[in-house]
Amino acid sequence: MEIRFNQHFLGIENVKIMVVDDNNKIVFLMMQHNEKEDCWLYNSNRKIKRYKFVINDIIRLNDPKACRYVLDENGEVWSVPYINIDKAYINECMVENKEIVIDKHGILNRWQCSFKKSQLLWSVLQLDNDTELIYDRQIDMEYILILENLFGTHSITFMCYQPDGRLFRFEEIPLEQADNENQRWEVAVDNKISKLVPKYALGKWQIQIYVDGEYKFTDHFVLKENIRKYRIFLDKRI
């Protein structure tokens, strides 16, 4: 069986495949880089029940070309290869893996959030290269994703990079929708940037989003000092 990893990262050093075998043991196996095809390959006759990619021994991603995705007992989402799925279930799995639509994404704008019928209505600040936010150690940022077209088991991977290029936060959010109704999902991720001292926090940040291991987009924002010393979180309102 051949498994390929085609995603690209800055500073990628190695890619491993983390597999669960027939004995329910987790094994880490090195993937080989194919320079001609610019991808990482794994070839073996080993029986694999489920698997994930591990980049630079830190970042875990699913395979966007997997047959389906499953949750384990710890709430982590894994990829299942086609070879382990009966042909009778292939069509059902393909329906389950229809593309998720990301309707909105950005930073939660606390100034314009409101409650209606006991539900919090998000106001999302769309980000671009010129978006500037005030750094405040008393208030943390939340990154918001509004999803549609969700059915079955999936995962959102959130990666936040500091201005110096180091990975600051990595989180996988499992998603599971049992029925085929088109319901909107609201996903919030706490950045925890307020834990940093200003010299590491100020500057241009990057947020990368992956769905089922597939890269979707990069958001940017700039954190700057509040020279007026007011406790204001956002200096740009929508």
Side-chain angles (χ1 to χ4, degrees):
M1 177 174 61
E2 180 182 273
I3 297 177
R4 292 174 173 240
F5 178 78
N6 296 306
Q7 306 296 325
H8 293 86
F9 288 82
L10 290 175
I12 187 168
E13 296 178 359
N14 64 77
V15 179
K16 298 177 183 177
I17 184 168
M18 178 173 62
V19 306
V20 176
D21 60 21
D22 281 349
N23 297 319
N24 288 321
K25 291 183 178 181
I26 296 178
V27 182
F28 290 84
L29 304 167
M30 291 296 300
M31 300 186 73
Q32 301 299 317
H33 185 248
N34 185 314
E35 294 186 3
K36 184 177 180 180
E37 299 185 36
D38 194 19
C39 67
W40 297 77
L41 298 175
Y42 171 77
N43 280 287
S44 174
N45 294 323
R46 178 190 293 267
K47 292 184 178 180
I48 298 176
K49 294 176 63 176
R50 56 183 188 267
Y51 65 99
K52 297 188 80 163
F53 300 120
V54 182
I55 300 91
N56 293 346
D57 299 315
I58 299 174
I59 300 170
R60 296 186 180 188
L61 288 175
N62 277 295
D63 185 355
K65 296 182 179 179
C67 180
R68 63 180 304 189
Y69 307 98
V70 294
L71 278 170
D72 66 11
E73 60 276 7
N74 298 316
E76 185 172 1
V77 180
W78 292 74
S79 302
V80 176
Y82 279 95
I83 196 170
N84 286 348
I85 301 294
D86 294 335
K87 291 183 179 180
Y89 293 97
I90 290 292
N91 290 334
E92 178 183 348
C93 293
M94 292 304 292
V95 171
E96 180 176 311
N97 286 346
K98 63 185 181 181
E99 185 173 359
I100 297 172
V101 175
I102 301 177
D103 183 46
K104 289 183 180 180
H105 55 91
I107 297 294
L108 171 65
N109 190 341
R110 299 174 185 273
W111 294 103
Q112 294 194 359
C113 289
S114 61
F115 283 89
K116 186 176 181 180
K117 295 181 180 179
S118 300
Q119 290 185 338
L120 176 61
L121 302 180
W122 302 116
S123 182
V124 178
L125 176 64
Q126 304 286 337
L127 300 177
D128 56 46
N129 286 329
D130 298 322
T131 302
E132 293 183 338
L133 308 177
I134 295 297
Y135 173 71
D136 191 332
R137 299 195 71 180
Q138 305 301 317
I139 306 175
D140 231 330
M141 289 195 302
E142 285 185 285
Y143 188 79
I144 304 295
L145 292 158
I146 310 296
L147 310 176
E148 294 181 346
N149 205 36
L150 177 64
F151 175 59
T153 301
H154 298 275
S155 63
I156 295 285
T157 303
F158 169 90
M159 286 186 278
C160 184
Y161 289 87
Q162 295 178 198
D164 62 7
R166 288 185 294 177
L167 180 64
F168 174 70
R169 184 164 173 76
F170 161 78
E171 184 174 346
E172 179 186 272
I173 301 101
L175 306 170
E176 195 164 31
Q177 176 69 32
D179 54 51
N180 200 12
E181 295 182 6
N182 187 15
Q183 299 182 11
R184 289 168 63 89
W185 275 62
E186 298 169 347
V187 177
V189 185
D190 189 349
N191 277 355
K192 301 186 183 300
I193 291 177
S194 66
K195 307 297 182 184
L196 288 177
V197 295
K199 68 176 182 179
Y200 296 118
L202 301 179
K204 191 171 184 177
W205 289 72
Q206 291 188 45
I207 292 175
Q208 293 185 345
I209 298 296
Y210 290 74
V211 177
D212 295 330
E214 182 178 10
Y215 170 78
K216 291 299 181 182
F217 58 82
T218 298
D219 265 341
H220 302 87
F221 62 91
V222 177
L223 279 184
K224 65 179 185 179
E225 287 184 294
N226 184 1
I227 59 176
R228 294 167 295 182
K229 303 302 179 184
Y230 297 144
R231 290 183 58 187
I232 299 175
F233 182 52
L234 298 181
D235 67 341
K236 180 176 179 181
R237 305 184 185 187
I238 56 176

